[in-house]
Amino acid sequence: MPSFRQVGEKQLPHEIIFMSWSPKRDLIALVNKAGEVLLHRLANIQRVWILPPNENTGKEVTCLAWRPDGKILAFGLADTKKIVLCDVEKPESLHSFSVETPVSCMQWMEVTEENSVLKSFYSSEDESSVLLPRLPPLPKNYNTTAKIFSEEKSDEIIKLLGDVRLNALVLGGVSGEIEIYAYGMYKIATITEVFGSCLGLCLSSDLKSLSVVTELTTNTNPEITYFQLDTSLLSEYLPEVTRMARKFTHISTLLQYLKLSLTCMCEAWEEILMQMDSRLTKFVQEKNTTTSVQDEFMQLLLWGKASPELQALLMNQLTVKGLKKLGQSVESSYSTIQKLVISHLQSGSEALLYHLSELKGMALWRQKYEPLGLDAKAIEDAVMSVGSFILKANELLQVIDSGMKNFKAFFRWLYVAMLRMSEDHVLPELNKMTQKDIAFVADFLTEHFNEAPELYNHKGKYFNVERVGQYLKDEDDTLMSPPSTEGNQWFNFLQNSTPLKESPLLFPYYPEKSLHFVKRHMEAVIDRCLAKPADVIGRSVQQKLSIPLYCASESEDSCPRLISLPSLWNDKSQNLHYVMFRMRESSDTKLFIFRQPTDVSRSVNKAFVAVEFGSPLNSSASENPGSVHYSCLDARFYEDDVLTLVLRDNNEPEGKDRILSLLPLSSIYSDEETDFEFIRDTVKRLEEQYADIPSRTVSLESQWRVLENIKAHYVSVNGIRKVASVLSSNLRHVRVFEMDVEDDGEADEEEEEEESYSQDVTEEDLDHSTEDAQNNGLEARDVREDSVEY
């Protein structure tokens, strides 16, 4: 008898609340009540990795979804209101973003509709990869939180963007808010057309409509309602939406790159600041003289003689060896900051200018892009803000260049002075100081050793030790020592030319502001530029259908909705939305199926069907053939035309005998039988009319199996990989099956089945299998299974 072969089974220490098969690989993602995200391989449910909850991301996972290519896993967190995109290769976050309200369900779908414009766009090479230099990776020795741009993962931007084909992450919130993120990163729609907490949603692959099931709490039991929303604007402007989303995603990625580059610069600067500032502050607090530190050092420079206090500071606290080490550290840090500005800030900003300029060109094509909310004026403002950021970065380069000259002269002079104090031998080449060197030291003392207590809100006197830090401190918007523009011919020319001073062609310049301030200003302007399309597209979405289905039972177990009915499915071949649900208070034995065309202008016959389950055809049960024998516990679409069911034997008082079965839709929507068409009363809930819904009793055919020694309740399937996993009612016992094999115990027949299975696998699947085999050695070593899990 054709059956399903069991390939793995496991008892888990924590209750599983979500489970989802990868769309491309033999991997299943699990989430347990402890907040852990686990990835397991098909064979023996072997663990690949585990991502424990942490304070940075969150602990309360509320939803889970795979990207269509199976390379990224997304999950939502209620406690921190974050969405995390996780690398499937390693348990680490590639990208995360915040949402206003906790997300209760999500779907990550791929657009399948093709047209000539999109085909040429998909096949064409991204010009930015040809015209722009490759962004250099960030140094891996800094504690940047994101791993996207690290040296060992320099191609993660490409991995995050994925395929050129548009995919969309759809998020449903607990208060009815729905957001659509292109490529899982850029928000292209904010929808507020539904009411209640979203239990499930499904955006059609042709982008024409969005189906949502919500739970609205009223004075009585929570009411489950189905909504269909018209998203035809996305469908009509699919090529434009794809281009715009791709461009916006590049921009969002570059903003994160600039942010992380600035973080690396701050870390390089903080180290030298702590060393120098702490030592000078200690000297000020302990010295008894009334002279200033600047005067003390100036006296040493002019007369070659230091006061006892200064000599004690230099010889006891700094020491000759410490000064040499400090000088090398300062020079190295300055050099690092300078390289980061040139190679990272400037190259990232230029790439940002390129993409924004292209976006402005798109916005000027009003016929194509104005309906999507692209605003040329807002994009022009964003271009100007990036120009201001580039100007400020160039100003920082000049300050660094000047500072490095003065620092080198100062440390060299002080090193020689301390060698003399210790009566050590001074090399002749060190002993020579030109008038220019003395001027550098004097400038350094004048600029940096002025007492400036207003720099910090602390007791005691601190110093403006060096000027680079004022550009990098996030808490200060205004520069304490802005560069002097006196004598600058360009500034004088601008001040004397009113037309040029007010010209829109010149980037705005903020001489008194820090680099962090200009960066935040740039981010705010670009965010406003990127936010408008989401509002415009969201307002275009209209509610076309609302059907109150039933009131949820108070006695129904509070189970995560991802592994319980109702469930939604998008039939790509027929462009239909399916909703499967039970109405326990009305009929415990029936599974209700509702289908609706994705095109809101169309209608479909047999929209509502109630299915009951009779005895298997070869069963020895005494009931008459066709009599109701089973009730459905869980149901999922295995393929577009096949259901996977977990059934319970109604004749068993404890309900121990459970059956896993595949059921073709053709046995439900048979053309041979002529059912009367159900006419829904729009005033009533569907459960009040359930007796009028056409009912069909189906008998299980050959594709079923009795599930022994497991009280199965929930099922998760992947028709592409032809696998299924069942979960027990206590949420701790998992069993995995391959679904299209001959399980008669004969090895030779099993090999024949495996050969036929391999022929059905696509080339992409074979590539993934090869990749899995290559990674298996590494991943198997990482598996650490506790004995309690077996």
Side-chain angles (χ1 to χ4, degrees):
M1 180 186 70
S3 184
F4 316 134
R5 181 172 64 191
Q6 179 179 330
V7 293
E9 186 170 18
K10 180 164 290 189
Q11 293 280 356
L12 298 168
H14 300 289
E15 296 177 1
I16 298 299
I17 56 174
F18 301 130
M19 58 181 182
S20 179
W21 282 101
S22 166
K24 296 294 184 182
R25 306 184 187 183
D26 295 331
L27 298 170
I28 186 170
L30 306 173
V31 177
N32 58 32
K33 282 195 172 180
E36 297 171 331
V37 180
L38 307 103
L39 192 67
H40 285 77
R41 192 176 295 283
L42 171 65
N44 298 319
I45 322 182
Q46 183 186 64
R47 184 191 294 172
V48 178
W49 53 250
I50 177 173
L51 181 63
N54 62 70
E55 298 297 333
N56 294 328
T57 56
K59 300 179 179 179
E60 188 182 343
V61 181
T62 56
C63 48
L64 185 73
W66 287 89
R67 196 169 73 178
D69 63 3
K71 293 182 179 179
I72 291 182
L73 188 65
F75 56 92
L77 297 152
D79 47 345
T80 57
K81 298 180 183 178
K82 277 188 176 181
I83 304 298
V84 177
L85 306 187
C86 180
D87 187 0
V88 71
E89 302 294 338
K90 292 182 180 179
E92 61 185 26
S93 169
L94 287 177
H95 179 65
S96 65
F97 57 89
S98 299
V99 289
E100 291 187 7
T101 58
V103 173
S104 54
C105 62
M106 64 168 58
Q107 176 220 11
W108 208 333
M109 55 78 64
E110 184 178 43
V111 178
T112 58
E113 184 175 323
E114 297 279 4
N115 59 45
S116 57
V117 177
L118 271 181
K119 284 181 179 178
S120 62
F121 174 64
Y122 291 155
S123 59
S124 65
E125 187 176 10
D126 184 6
E127 289 185 353
S128 63
S129 62
V130 179
L131 300 175
L132 295 174
R134 185 176 177 180
L135 291 177
L138 292 176
K140 59 183 178 181
N141 55 324
Y142 292 105
N143 299 321
T144 51
T145 54
K147 305 292 184 182
I148 302 175
F149 308 101
S150 60
E151 194 166 334
E152 66 275 10
K153 282 187 167 290
S154 57
D155 295 327
E156 288 305 319
I157 306 174
I158 306 302
K159 177 183 284 189
L160 197 59
L161 287 174
D163 191 16
V164 180
R165 186 187 301 275
L166 179 64
N167 60 71
L169 178 62
V170 191
L171 308 177
V174 295
S175 303
E177 304 89 352
I178 299 173
E179 296 179 336
I180 304 176
Y181 285 80
Y183 301 104
M185 290 184 63
Y186 165 65
K187 183 162 63 174
I188 57 172
T190 303
I191 304 168
T192 57
E193 285 290 310
V194 301
F195 309 100
S197 176
C198 295
L199 301 182
L201 39 74
C202 190
L203 180 62
S204 63
S205 57
D206 57 11
L207 294 182
K208 289 184 178 179
S209 66
L210 172 66
S211 285
V212 188
V213 176
T214 67
E215 180 181 64
L216 182 61
T217 303
T218 59
N219 295 332
T220 58
N221 294 344
E223 185 175 80
I224 310 299
T225 305
Y226 168 81
F227 295 95
Q228 186 178 32
L229 307 177
D230 181 3
T231 58
S232 55
L233 181 69
L234 291 175
S235 177
E236 292 170 10
Y237 291 88
L238 178 56
E240 290 77 22
V241 169
T242 303
R243 289 176 180 272
M244 182 181 73
R246 193 77 179 174
K247 193 60 65 179
F248 277 7
T249 309
H250 276 296
I251 293 169
S252 300
T253 309
L254 286 168
L255 285 176
Q256 187 172 5
Y257 179 81
L258 293 176
K259 180 179 179 181
L260 294 175
S261 300
L262 206 52
T263 302
C264 291
M265 291 165 57
C266 291
E267 291 178 5
W269 161 74
E270 284 172 355
E271 184 179 350
I272 58 171
L273 177 77
M274 289 172 58
Q275 292 183 31
M276 293 194 64
D277 201 45
S278 60
R279 289 170 182 172
L280 288 172
T281 302
K282 188 174 182 182
F283 168 67
V284 171
Q285 292 173 340
E286 292 180 355
K287 77 183 183 72
N288 298 319
T289 59
T290 56
T291 54
S292 67
V293 175
Q294 181 183 352
D295 293 340
E296 298 269 2
F297 276 102
M298 197 66 77
Q299 185 179 1
L300 177 61
L301 175 65
L302 295 177
W303 308 110
K305 185 177 181 181
S307 66
E309 290 86 356
L310 181 59
Q311 189 167 345
L313 164 73
L314 296 176
M315 303 307 297
N316 299 333
Q317 294 185 27
L318 281 179
T319 72
V320 174
K321 186 183 291 186
L323 177 71
K324 190 172 182 180
K325 187 176 179 182
L326 181 61
Q328 292 172 347
S329 174
V330 170
E331 187 174 352
S332 173
S333 297
Y334 264 41
S335 178
T336 300
I337 296 173
Q338 194 174 39
K339 289 176 183 176
L340 284 167
V341 174
I342 295 172
S343 63
H344 292 70
L345 285 194
Q346 288 189 336
S347 59
S349 302
E350 288 166 2
L352 201 54
L353 271 181
Y354 171 86
H355 289 294
L356 283 169
S357 300
E358 281 210 330
L359 198 63
K360 182 184 175 184
M362 292 162 57
L364 292 174
W365 194 353
R366 300 185 185 280
Q367 180 185 0
K368 292 284 188 180
Y369 290 96
E370 194 172 45
L372 299 177
L374 268 193
D375 185 352
K377 178 61 174 66
I379 300 171
E380 178 62 29
D381 292 342
V383 169
M384 300 303 283
S385 70
V386 176
S388 298
F389 182 75
I390 293 175
L391 288 178
K392 187 58 67 171
N394 286 331
E395 180 185 307
L396 176 59
L397 277 181
Q398 296 174 8
V399 172
I400 291 175
D401 187 55
S402 171
M404 285 185 74
K405 290 178 183 177
N406 292 342
F407 256 113
K408 285 182 180 179
F410 172 73
F411 276 111
R412 183 184 176 196
W413 161 74
L414 192 57
Y415 179 65
V416 172
M418 291 178 65
L419 286 177
R420 287 174 180 160
M421 290 178 196
S422 59
E423 299 181 353
D424 286 349
H425 174 66
V426 180
L427 295 174
E429 58 268 20
L430 291 177
N431 209 8
K432 295 178 182 178
M433 279 192 71
T434 65
Q435 192 66 33
K436 194 173 183 180
D437 293 334
I438 295 175
F440 278 147
V441 176
D443 287 343
F444 179 87
L445 294 175
T446 303
E447 291 179 1
H448 300 295
F449 276 44
N450 282 320
E451 297 184 14
E454 68 274 9
L455 282 177
Y456 301 92
N457 296 322
H458 298 285
K459 292 181 178 179
K461 293 189 176 181
Y462 288 69
F463 293 86
N464 184 10
V465 175
E466 49 87 28
R467 292 192 168 186
V468 174
Q470 62 181 342
Y471 287 85
L472 303 178
K473 279 184 290 189
D474 199 6
E475 66 269 15
D476 291 337
D477 290 340
T478 304
L479 299 177
M480 295 306 301
S481 302
S484 175
T485 58
E486 187 178 350
N488 187 302
Q489 295 180 354
W490 172 250
F491 278 99
N492 294 337
F493 176 63
L494 283 183
Q495 292 300 320
N496 298 326
S497 174
T498 305
L500 269 181
K501 187 165 57 175
E502 298 174 355
S503 171
L505 299 176
L506 297 179
F507 292 138
Y509 176 55
Y510 305 97
E512 304 290 330
K513 299 299 183 182
S514 70
L515 186 65
H516 260 291
F517 170 84
V518 180
K519 178 189 75 79
R520 284 199 302 269
H521 173 71
M522 175 184 70
E523 289 173 338
V525 174
I526 293 178
D527 284 345
R528 286 198 298 270
C529 164
L530 303 188
K532 189 174 180 181
D535 295 333
V536 172
I537 295 174
R539 286 197 300 270
S540 75
V541 176
Q542 300 295 323
Q543 183 188 129
K544 292 297 181 182
L545 186 63
S546 174
I547 303 177
L549 298 178
Y550 61 94
C551 283
S553 170
E554 289 184 350
S555 60
E556 189 170 353
D557 298 334
S558 58
C559 186
R561 293 294 179 177
L562 191 70
I563 55 174
S564 66
L565 296 174
S567 70
L568 290 158
W569 178 259
N570 172 42
D571 186 337
K572 299 176 184 177
S573 60
Q574 300 294 325
N575 289 329
L576 293 173
H577 277 144
Y578 282 87
V579 188
M580 295 186 292
F581 55 95
R582 292 186 305 261
M583 295 188 288
R584 286 188 170 179
E585 294 295 316
S586 306
S587 176
D588 192 34
T589 61
K590 292 182 178 180
L591 173 68
F592 294 89
I593 303 178
F594 166 58
R595 60 180 184 173
Q596 177 70 15
T598 59
D599 186 345
V600 294
S601 63
R602 289 175 50 214
S603 60
V604 65
N605 294 328
K606 302 177 184 177
F608 292 91
V609 175
V611 184
E612 295 183 295
F613 304 94
S615 303
L617 294 179
N618 60 348
S619 173
S620 59
S622 59
E623 287 81 9
N624 296 324
S627 63
V628 177
H629 193 72
Y630 293 96
S631 58
C632 179
L633 296 176
D634 200 7
R636 290 291 180 270
F637 266 87
Y638 181 70
E639 294 170 338
D640 282 346
D641 54 355
V642 180
L643 298 180
T644 304
L645 308 167
V646 175
L647 304 176
R648 170 185 171 180
D649 190 342
N650 292 331
N651 295 332
E652 286 289 336
E654 296 184 7
K656 291 182 179 179
D657 290 344
R658 310 286 169 95
I659 284 182
L660 178 66
S661 173
L662 291 181
L663 179 67
L665 281 183
S666 57
S667 61
I668 299 174
Y669 297 99
S670 175
D671 294 333
E672 297 177 0
E673 300 182 31
T674 56
D675 293 331
F676 63 89
E677 188 67 27
F678 169 67
I679 300 176
R680 183 176 63 89
D681 187 344
T682 56
V683 180
K684 298 179 181 179
R685 278 196 305 271
L686 193 66
E687 70 175 343
E688 298 176 284
Q689 312 164 65
Y690 86 94
D692 298 330
I693 296 176
S695 182
R696 183 71 55 82
T697 301
V698 296
S699 297
L700 304 182
E701 298 179 1
S702 57
Q703 294 179 299
W704 61 276
R705 172 172 178 156
V706 176
L707 301 173
E708 299 174 348
N709 303 320
I710 181 173
K711 199 172 180 180
H713 196 115
Y714 307 103
V715 65
S716 177
V717 294
N718 183 347
I720 298 175
R721 305 300 292 179
K722 304 195 182 302
V723 290
S725 59
V726 294
L727 180 66
S728 62
S729 56
N730 68 1
L731 306 179
R732 291 190 177 186
H733 189 182
V734 178
R735 190 176 290 176
V736 178
F737 297 92
E738 288 183 349
M739 301 293 283
D740 63 343
V741 295
E742 293 282 350
D743 191 11
D744 58 357
E746 296 295 333
D748 54 347
E749 293 188 15
E750 288 181 1
E751 290 176 0
E752 292 176 3
E753 287 294 326
E754 289 174 359
E755 289 177 3
S756 65
Y757 169 74
S758 65
Q759 292 172 359
D760 294 334
V761 178
T762 63
E763 292 183 3
E764 184 178 6
D765 292 336
L766 287 172
D767 291 339
H768 286 306
S769 299
T770 304
E771 184 180 346
D772 290 344
Q774 293 171 347
N775 294 335
N776 189 48
L778 174 64
E779 292 169 342
R781 290 196 298 271
D782 293 337
V783 174
R784 297 179 178 85
E785 303 289 359
D786 300 328
S787 59
V788 70
E789 293 183 321
Y790 290 91

